[in-house]
């Protein structure tokens, strides 16, 4: 089952500052959930835990369970295969001289044959609207193109769970619309952290609102986002699409 469960997760960075406090959340198979909250709420820290990037040592308490498997230091390899994480900053994810090598990185690690890898790279680039970009240098692309190359690299690994940190931050309106369509059509269980609340309300059935490292509210996206007092108390605003529309005269 492509499920995700976080139980009472607390974490402090090495400087001792708590970034997550007893966070619990879950996503059922095929669900698309949103993580929202002001800057510094702990969204990125939570997402890094979902594929085991932050260490499960003394600074962490609680559990992350991916597809029924508790994440430990001994199964990180499988966890990385099950969970695809799109970093907030594409420059943290791109490190090869060509787009082809970056997108092929996962399939090469999995030991797929070269012809199969070529096919996967081609299809993943097509899915994100970057057909024919194989020979380009990732470092000479626009922010939006870089973000889409990163996503192609994740799609190339066909993860059971897709975790996206601010996936629209670098995209123009058309890129954003296409990304929304792509994410909506994916069969994977999806977790999206974003300030783009219109995207979240459009794609996510449920949301978790984080502030100060804690889950302060959770529930259906429309319900949480329509609670203006709650939203303002945590530095957010009700999305325009949820404001009452007056009928035309
Ligand atoms: P968000 O993604 O919601 O903006 P973060 O998860 O980035 O929040 O940050 C949560 C808290 O952890 C913040 O107080 C932030 O300053 C702190 N933090 C984030 N990354 C680090 C780090 N590498 N070292 C120390 N503190 C960090």
């Amino acid at each position: 089952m492509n499920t995700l469960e976080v139980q009472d997760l607390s974490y402090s960075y090495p400087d001792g500052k708590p970034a997550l406090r007893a966070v619990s959340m879950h996503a059922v198979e095929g669900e698309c959930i949103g993580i929202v909250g002001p800057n510094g709420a702990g969204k990125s820290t939570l997402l890094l835990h979902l594929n085991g990037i932050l260490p499960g040592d003394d600074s962490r308490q609680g559990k992350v369970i991916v597809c029924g498997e508790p994440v430990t230091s001994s199964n990180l390899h499988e966890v990385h295969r099950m969970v695809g994480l799109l970093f907030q900053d594409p420059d943290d994810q791109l490190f090869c001289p060509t787009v082809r090598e970056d997108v092929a990185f996962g399939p090469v690690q999995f030991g797929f044959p070269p012809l199969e890898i070529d096919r996967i790279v081609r299809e993943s680039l097509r899915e994100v609207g970057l057909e024919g970009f194989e020979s380009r240098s990732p470092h000479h692309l626009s922010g939006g193109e870089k973000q889409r190359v990163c996503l192609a690299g994740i799609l190339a690994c066909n993860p059971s769970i897709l975790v996206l940190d601010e996936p629209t931050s670098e995209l123009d309106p058309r890129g954003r619309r296409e990304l929304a369509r792509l994410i909506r059509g994916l069969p994977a269980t999806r977790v999206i952290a974003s300030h783009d609340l219109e995207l979240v309300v459009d794609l996510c059935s449920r949301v978790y609102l984080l502030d100060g490292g804690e889950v302060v509210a959770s529930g259906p996206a429309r319900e949480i986002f329509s609670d203006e007092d709650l939203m303002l108390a945590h530095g957010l605003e009700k999305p325009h699409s949820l404001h009452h529309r007056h009928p035309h005269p």
Side-chain angles (χ1 to χ4, degrees):
M1 288 290 273
N2 301 337
T3 54
L4 184 66
E5 192 161 356
V6 174
Q7 294 174 352
D8 280 327
L9 181 66
S10 296
Y11 177 78
S12 298
Y13 279 101
D15 62 9
K17 196 162 169 280
L20 295 177
R21 302 161 194 258
V23 169
S24 292
M25 56 159 271
H26 73 276
V28 301
E29 169 138 7
E31 197 177 16
C32 186
I33 63 160
I35 310 286
V36 299
N39 286 336
K43 302 181 295 297
S44 296
T45 306
L46 174 62
L47 298 197
L48 292 174
H49 279 287
L50 299 183
N51 86 340
I53 287 185
L54 288 173
D57 60 14
D58 296 349
S59 49
R60 184 176 106 184
Q61 281 165 8
K63 271 192 187 157
V64 177
I65 303 167
V66 165
C67 302
E69 293 273 325
V71 176
T72 64
S73 48
S74 54
N75 65 358
L76 288 183
H77 191 67
E78 290 115 85
V79 170
H80 289 162
R81 182 148 190 180
M82 292 188 281
V83 181
L85 170 62
L86 182 78
F87 287 91
Q88 184 164 10
D89 182 352
D91 288 321
D92 288 344
Q93 201 146 357
L94 299 169
F95 48 86
C96 294
T98 65
V99 167
R100 176 189 288 107
E101 289 163 279
D102 255 317
V103 178
F105 187 80
V108 168
Q109 299 288 304
F110 301 154
F112 290 147
L115 278 179
E116 178 69 359
I117 291 175
D118 283 349
R119 187 190 62 77
I120 293 172
V121 170
R122 206 167 43 246
E123 284 187 6
S124 305
L125 285 173
R126 188 177 46 75
E127 273 194 276
V128 299
L130 293 181
E131 214 162 7
F133 270 58
E134 280 91 335
S135 308
R136 301 279 294 271
S137 160
H139 302 288
H140 297 155
L141 301 177
S142 73
E145 288 167 341
K146 284 183 189 176
Q147 205 157 27
R148 288 190 280 156
V149 172
C150 292
L151 185 59
I154 291 167
L155 296 178
C157 300
N158 196 20
S160 309
I161 297 173
L162 189 64
V163 178
L164 307 166
D165 197 353
E166 293 292 353
T168 55
S169 58
E170 303 279 348
L171 301 181
D172 60 21
R174 183 174 50 192
R176 183 184 166 284
R177 242 185 352 262
E178 285 168 2
L179 181 88
R181 190 175 45 81
L182 173 64
I183 296 174
R184 191 180 298 107
L186 294 172
T189 302
R190 292 142 295 168
V191 179
I192 305 173
S194 186
H195 288 299
D196 183 346
L197 300 187
E198 299 288 358
L199 179 87
V200 174
V201 83
D202 190 20
L203 294 179
C204 302
S205 51
R206 289 187 304 118
V207 298
Y208 291 86
L209 169 51
L210 247 62
D211 199 357
E214 282 178 299
V215 175
V216 293
S218 65
R222 283 171 185 277
E223 211 170 277
I224 300 286
F225 293 172
S226 297
D227 185 339
E228 289 188 66
D229 292 341
L230 176 73
M231 295 293 275
L232 282 176
H234 299 287
L236 302 174
E237 278 174 11
K238 181 175 172 176
H240 285 296
S241 62
L242 297 187
H243 279 277
H244 180 69
R245 289 204 183 91
H246 296 290
H248 291 296

